[in-house]
Amino acid sequence: MPQQRFPKIEIKHIAPHEITFVLSETDTSMANTLRRIMIAEVPTLAIDLVEYHENSSVLNDEYIAHRLGLIPIRYSPDGTLKGGDCHQAFVPHRECVCYDRCPRCSVEFDLDVNFDKVNMSRPEQERDLPLTVTSRDLIANNVQVSPAHFLNEEEQDNAHDEGISIVKLGQGQHLRLKAIARMGISKEHAKWCPVAVATYRFWPEITINQEACNNLTMEQKQELVDACPDRILELDEITGNLKPTEGAEELATFTEDLKYAQDAMKRRPEDDDYVQVTHSTDRFLFSVESSGAMDAEDILLSSLRVLKDRLNYLAAEVEKLKD
């Protein structure tokens, strides 16, 4: 019988738009499954249908619809800027019992910007400038849903615009449309992908052979310290021994520079290495960055929920086969 495993997650860094964590006591299959779910199977909202009433801008309907589809749509159950999991608030359009669309399966956004009307309220010195239509001009019929104008508060404070640019309007131009956002997953289209980055790497294990290092001079030890571009080694000021730097495991990569340097110091090729950097087979360092539709923490929690649902479904199907 295979050995039962109990995977653990240790949070290293967390922010609304990014999270770094360590997944341990499992193997590559589980790590890659979690990563693939975050990329392709976490449900989000995205604009899927655009109905035009007037478009006299320089861009055609299809171009603007493509831009609208790529605007991250946030679902905030508490009405704040927090981007949460929308799987309980909405159902996929194809599974809804409504004829066309309803509040259960879709959210409507209205956009109506007329250059001549807006231009009258602008300062005198800005009236000849083009008018930029942004994501802030999209008005939703659901107070819990809104476009993600910025990735985080820092980006918002440093920005010189009002949101994600859609198109620029000039004199006499008018854009009026209705955009329909629906829930979906990235397997169907990339616009539903909640992550900009979702990667993992094997946790490095640094082993220092102190017995072999005792035969090295201080200059040779310093050469080993300088050989690694990640600066994972340092000299102890008291003992003069090599030791890993603080947080070296998170910085270390499996470069050849350190190996070449210590091979040149060996008396015989078959001698043991002074420093070994190997990768763990049951510990992985994940880095996840949100696209803006969901907070990074909610992406992780939603991916775990999807994985649990898939495993429960598999277990139920196996039980049916036994019957």
Side-chain angles (χ1 to χ4, degrees):
M1 183 176 179
Q3 183 180 0
Q4 189 174 8
R5 295 173 300 179
F6 298 92
K8 294 181 175 59
I9 288 180
E10 177 188 355
I11 305 297
K12 290 292 185 179
H13 168 73
I14 187 169
H17 64 286
E18 64 181 353
I19 184 172
T20 303
F21 62 92
V22 176
L23 177 68
S24 59
E25 297 188 25
T26 185
D27 60 12
T28 310
S29 64
M30 181 61 67
N32 196 50
T33 298
L34 187 61
R35 171 182 171 273
R36 295 294 300 179
I37 290 176
M38 286 190 283
I39 293 174
E41 297 190 51
V42 172
T44 61
L45 291 170
I47 292 175
D48 192 42
L49 177 65
V50 181
E51 299 175 353
Y52 289 91
H53 299 283
E54 184 172 351
N55 178 18
S56 53
S57 69
V58 296
L59 298 182
N60 58 40
D61 295 354
E62 291 79 6
Y63 204 113
I64 294 177
H66 177 70
R67 288 189 169 190
L68 290 171
L70 296 179
I71 295 176
I73 305 298
R74 297 176 72 90
Y75 168 71
S76 304
D78 55 0
T80 64
L81 296 177
K82 179 178 173 62
D85 191 347
C86 63
H87 84 281
Q88 290 184 334
F90 298 92
V91 297
H93 175 67
R94 295 179 180 85
E95 298 178 10
C96 191
V97 296
C98 67
Y99 176 73
D100 185 16
R101 55 178 177 265
C102 68
R104 179 64 175 157
C105 67
S106 61
V107 178
E108 294 185 2
F109 290 89
D110 289 318
L111 188 149
D112 187 358
V113 181
N114 189 320
F115 178 88
D116 296 332
K117 288 184 178 180
V118 177
N119 204 37
M120 296 301 297
S121 61
R122 302 168 77 186
E124 187 73 28
Q125 64 273 18
E126 296 182 7
R127 290 189 178 179
D128 294 331
L129 299 176
L131 175 65
T132 302
V133 181
T134 70
S135 55
R136 290 194 182 276
D137 295 307
L138 289 167
I139 309 301
N141 66 348
N142 188 331
V143 296
Q144 295 179 325
V145 177
S146 64
H149 311 298
F150 299 96
L151 184 61
N152 51 50
E153 293 183 0
E154 181 182 357
E155 184 181 69
Q156 181 175 345
D157 295 338
N158 297 329
H160 299 285
D161 49 31
E162 295 298 324
I164 300 173
S165 299
I166 300 173
V167 66
K168 290 187 176 182
L169 300 180
Q171 185 175 2
Q173 294 180 342
H174 185 192
L175 179 62
R176 180 168 171 255
L177 56 83
K178 178 179 290 184
I180 312 301
R182 294 168 175 162
M183 187 176 71
I185 60 176
S186 184
K187 270 187 176 180
E188 184 177 353
H189 195 282
K191 64 187 176 185
W192 280 296
C193 185
V195 297
V197 174
T199 62
Y200 73 86
R201 63 186 180 94
F202 296 98
W203 183 265
E205 294 180 342
I206 304 171
T207 305
I208 299 177
N209 188 341
Q210 294 292 355
E211 183 178 351
C213 289
N214 291 335
N215 298 322
L216 298 176
T217 63
M218 293 299 294
E219 289 76 13
Q220 289 176 315
K221 292 179 181 179
Q222 186 61 49
E223 185 178 345
L224 288 178
V225 171
D226 298 336
C228 188
D230 298 321
R231 297 297 180 182
I232 61 172
L233 299 175
E234 63 180 359
L235 283 173
D236 191 302
E237 296 180 356
I238 299 176
T239 63
N241 293 330
L242 287 173
K243 66 177 184 178
T245 58
E246 184 177 356
E249 291 82 2
E250 299 181 31
L251 300 173
T253 56
F254 309 105
T255 62
E256 296 294 326
D257 298 340
L258 184 60
K259 181 173 179 56
Y260 292 150
Q262 58 186 339
D263 285 347
M265 298 178 186
K266 293 179 182 178
R267 297 179 180 178
R268 297 172 299 178
E270 61 270 18
D271 289 345
D272 294 335
D273 289 335
Y274 302 108
V275 181
Q276 285 187 330
V277 182
T278 58
H279 65 260
S280 172
T281 58
D282 63 351
R283 192 172 173 86
F284 310 90
L285 181 63
F286 274 78
S287 179
V288 179
E289 295 182 16
S290 169
S291 64
M294 295 176 64
D295 287 351
E297 177 185 2
D298 290 299
I299 294 173
L300 175 58
L301 294 175
S302 182
S303 63
L304 294 173
R305 175 191 56 79
V306 172
L307 178 59
K308 180 182 177 181
D309 292 344
R310 289 297 180 89
L311 293 175
N312 288 338
Y313 173 78
L314 177 61
E317 291 298 311
V318 172
E319 289 297 325
K320 289 181 181 179
L321 292 176
K322 290 182 179 179
D323 296 339

